[in-house]
Amino acid sequence: MAYKDLRQFLALLEKRGLLVRVQAEVDPSWEINGITRKLQEVAGPAVLFDNVKGHHVPVLSELIGTLERLALALGMDAASTDRQITEEWIKRVEHPIPPRLVKTGPCKENVLTGDKADLNAIFPPVIWHKGDGGPYIGTLGLQVTRDPETGCQNTGIYRMMMRTKNETSLYMPVTQHGGQHLQKWARLYPGKPMPVAVAIGTEPCYLLASGAKFRHPPAEDAYAGALRGEPLELVKCETCDLEVPATSEIVLEGEVYPDELKPCGPFGEYTGLRGDVQNFNVFHLKAITHRNNPIFQGTREGQPRGKGSVEDGFLWIKGEEYIIYKELMGMNDGVVDVHMPLWGSGHQVNVALRVLRPGHPNYIAQRIFGSPVGNHVKNVFIVDEGVDIRNPGEVFWAMANLLQADRDVLIIPRCPQDGLDSSQPYSKRFITSKMAVDATTPVYEYRAEGREPPPPCHDPDIVAKVEARWDRYGIKL
Ligand SMILES: Cc1cc2nc3c(=O)[nH]c(=O)nc-3n(C[C@H](O)[C@H](O)[C@H](O)COP(=O)(O)O)c2cc1C
Ligand SMILES: [Mn+2]
């Protein structure tokens, strides 16, 4: 069963006790920040702030903030494991379901163009982190663009900071599909602005598809159809030919000039660090359409602490894990598991490999760097089959015991990277060195000397024998 809109999914979460409504008045300049951060620290519920000081629009956050809510968004059993969700995702997106274009929909209940289109009227000025350069109205803005060469739409999540009532910054770099559309547009239509639409508050599968990586065509809307098992309904924008989900809470329509850059930031990044001001694209608003009583959905980007959890990782880091998991497992070439830990900020991939030939780990690493996740992934760690790559302690064990740095660390200089990786100062961003660490057993080196490498000595056969006789030892476990 597919959710028809965000509201239907919220009702389900509320029924299960996975959504809290805060009726007390909260100050958007600091209180939403503090409450969402606190909820992240305990992997708490989604939250809807009904009473935002000085504004009539409610704010929704942490919608997909836990594995349980991710499973429910996909209509899966709430107790599904991380790996079950990955496998199910891969199965579903094998068969994209094209969207259906409809004449109108709830997102057209209010149409505001020209001077009437005022961002202040729709967006409570939420400061998501202390020190942010302004209210970020797009943390979960889903930006729709069209490839000027193929005609295929794309949807990605690219941040927007409010600058004036009809202008925002937009971080849509060339490492992303939206940025690549802008680059093509600049070549084909020099000096002209490219249309961009932004959907906010959609049914959950479109949100998930927007955060994830795909090969195109088709567009994210068809992958969202695959995830929900039914075609998504889209409507045409008022001012351009882009198509957005009909049940979106809010839609912004506007345009971006390829050469226009203005300061954006500071901002609390997905890395858990506060990035400084950088020059990014600018979005010029032309129209707002919205549902009656719209909901503003956003998220406090950052890093989890302890057993905590942060929504943005569930949306985009897992969204990269799905595509690389599928590509590597689908090779049938020794890969037995692939994992991108959420704390790895999308910069890290762990692989468990049955090593089948000399050089095999480096071959796998290069497949990752050359894949759709290659613009973000910086460090790859490869360990033997049997090492649990979802357990950092086991990966570190392999590195401590099987690694020779001069033999096993592959460094590839001058590769592309997202501009927000804080491992380098601002002037050096967008280009990076990549590293692959081969912490598998050096089996071929041992064999060259006529010996086998030391095998594991966990003695499972002996343990099984004593387990069968456990009663007689008098040891309570
Ligand atoms: C909350 C959130 C904020 C994000 N902000 C940005 C951003 O500002 N710029 C960016 O390039 N990617 C950002 N991303 C990641 C992209 O949405 C993600 O990489 C997606 O796959 C991009 O779409 P595309 O693959 O169609 O380019 C963000 C993701 C989330 C979940
Ligand atoms: Mn895309």
Side-chain angles (χ1 to χ4, degrees):
M1 183 224 58
Y3 303 104
K4 78 176 195 311
D5 58 10
L6 172 63
R7 297 175 190 195
Q8 198 179 27
F9 183 48
L10 289 179
L12 174 112
L13 293 183
E14 195 166 15
K15 210 170 76 195
R16 288 177 166 249
L18 300 175
L19 168 78
V20 285
R21 280 172 184 272
V22 175
Q23 247 108 44
E25 186 184 80
V26 292
D27 188 328
S29 71
W30 61 276
E31 223 164 357
I32 291 176
N33 167 9
I35 294 168
T36 51
R37 180 61 195 159
K38 188 73 200 160
L39 290 175
Q40 291 172 349
E41 284 174 7
V42 297
V47 59
L48 187 60
F49 298 100
D50 276 329
N51 186 0
V52 180
K53 188 176 170 187
H55 213 282
H56 62 284
V57 172
V59 177
L60 169 69
S61 193
E62 289 302 310
L63 183 73
I64 311 288
T66 60
L67 211 53
E68 186 180 23
R69 297 203 288 282
L70 173 60
L72 290 171
L74 291 164
M76 292 178 67
D77 188 310
S80 304
T81 65
D82 198 2
R83 202 160 175 182
Q84 279 167 339
I85 293 173
T86 301
E87 305 248 352
E88 179 66 19
W89 176 290
I90 288 165
K91 225 186 299 163
R92 290 190 195 177
V93 301
E94 281 294 316
H95 306 287
I97 301 179
R100 200 163 44 217
L101 191 64
V102 295
K103 282 228 149 55
T104 188
C107 72
K108 304 286 191 185
E109 283 166 356
N110 301 271
V111 177
L112 307 162
T113 52
D115 250 12
K116 291 213 184 87
D118 178 350
L119 296 170
N120 294 298
I122 291 291
F123 295 103
V126 180
I127 301 294
W128 291 102
H129 322 81
K130 195 166 127 186
D132 282 0
Y136 275 74
I137 60 167
T139 52
L140 291 179
L142 317 182
Q143 280 78 11
V144 181
T145 53
R146 194 180 290 288
D147 187 317
E149 285 174 353
T150 68
C152 182
Q153 285 205 158
N154 186 75
T155 313
I157 304 176
Y158 313 122
R159 74 182 48 172
M160 305 172 96
M161 186 184 85
M162 184 141 79
R163 296 177 54 83
T164 69
K165 68 177 267 233
N166 54 12
E167 185 183 303
T168 79
S169 63
L170 174 66
Y171 179 49
M172 195 171 72
V174 289
T175 47
Q176 304 284 38
H177 293 145
Q180 289 158 12
H181 289 184
L182 191 63
Q183 197 173 39
K184 288 183 186 180
W185 179 277
R187 182 166 43 78
L188 292 170
Y189 309 106
K192 293 225 170 87
M194 181 179 83
V196 176
V198 187
I200 295 173
T202 68
E203 64 75 51
C205 289
Y206 188 73
L207 170 67
L208 293 172
S210 304
K213 269 283 164 221
F214 295 102
R215 289 186 187 277
H216 302 299
E220 275 82 357
D221 44 40
Y223 290 111
L227 291 173
R228 65 204 292 273
E230 278 178 31
L232 193 70
E233 292 195 339
L234 301 181
V235 287
K236 276 249 181 274
C237 283
E238 300 295 307
T239 61
C240 60
D241 78 337
L242 295 171
E243 293 157 12
V244 292
T247 65
S248 307
E249 293 291 329
I250 302 168
V251 177
L252 309 180
E253 302 180 15
E255 45 192 32
V256 175
Y257 290 85
D259 296 334
E260 186 185 24
L261 300 176
K262 285 188 185 170
C264 175
F267 188 54
E269 309 289 0
Y270 61 93
T271 55
L273 302 166
R274 185 188 305 125
D276 205 347
V277 176
Q278 289 175 270
N279 278 332
F280 293 151
N281 293 116
V282 180
F283 172 84
H284 296 276
L285 183 73
K286 293 184 76 179
I288 298 176
T289 73
H290 68 86
R291 292 184 71 153
N292 293 333
N293 305 312
I295 300 169
F296 167 37
Q297 187 182 4
T299 204
R300 186 191 189 283
E301 296 179 41
Q303 278 285 314
R305 281 277 152 85
K307 287 196 171 24
S309 153
V310 174
E311 179 174 32
D312 75 279
F314 281 106
L315 293 172
W316 82 273
I317 298 170
K318 288 211 63 60
E320 295 216 332
E321 183 182 301
Y322 302 133
I323 192 168
I324 194 63
Y325 182 101
K326 178 180 170 206
E327 296 210 2
L328 295 186
M329 301 287 281
M331 289 162 60
N332 291 315
D333 187 28
V335 175
V336 297
D337 196 10
V338 180
H339 180 54
M340 294 181 69
L342 296 191
W343 46 262
S345 302
H347 300 154
Q348 178 162 333
V349 179
N350 297 341
V351 179
L353 179 69
R354 184 179 309 151
V355 181
L356 298 172
R357 56 187 178 275
H360 192 187
N362 281 352
Y363 173 76
I364 296 296
Q366 290 176 85
R367 292 293 293 240
I368 297 171
F369 295 138
S371 80
V373 305
N375 281 321
H376 288 134
V377 171
K378 186 173 62 167
N379 301 328
V380 169
F381 295 86
I382 304 185
V383 296
D384 289 310
E385 176 183 19
V387 175
D388 180 3
I389 56 169
R390 290 154 197 273
N391 177 346
E394 291 209 17
V395 177
F396 278 119
W397 172 86
M399 285 171 57
N401 292 292
L402 298 169
L403 184 78
Q404 271 292 303
D406 65 335
R407 182 194 62 195
D408 297 328
V409 179
L410 171 72
I411 295 174
I412 312 173
R414 304 192 62 73
C415 298
Q417 176 64 329
D418 182 84
L420 301 176
D421 175 8
S422 301
S423 61
Q424 301 188 93
Y426 296 96
S427 67
K428 295 188 175 159
R429 300 275 178 98
F430 290 103
I431 194 139
T432 193
S433 48
K434 307 252 168 175
M435 174 180 76
V437 173
D438 170 8
T440 62
T441 305
V443 59
Y444 296 102
E445 289 226 347
Y446 272 92
R447 285 188 189 153
E449 296 190 349
R451 304 280 296 265
E452 282 300 307
C457 57
H458 306 313
D459 302 328
D461 48 338
I462 302 273
V463 172
K465 248 202 246 171
V466 300
E467 271 172 359
R469 297 152 62 89
W470 198 253
D471 283 352
R472 57 173 74 190
Y473 305 131
I475 309 172
K476 278 218 161 49
L477 292 180

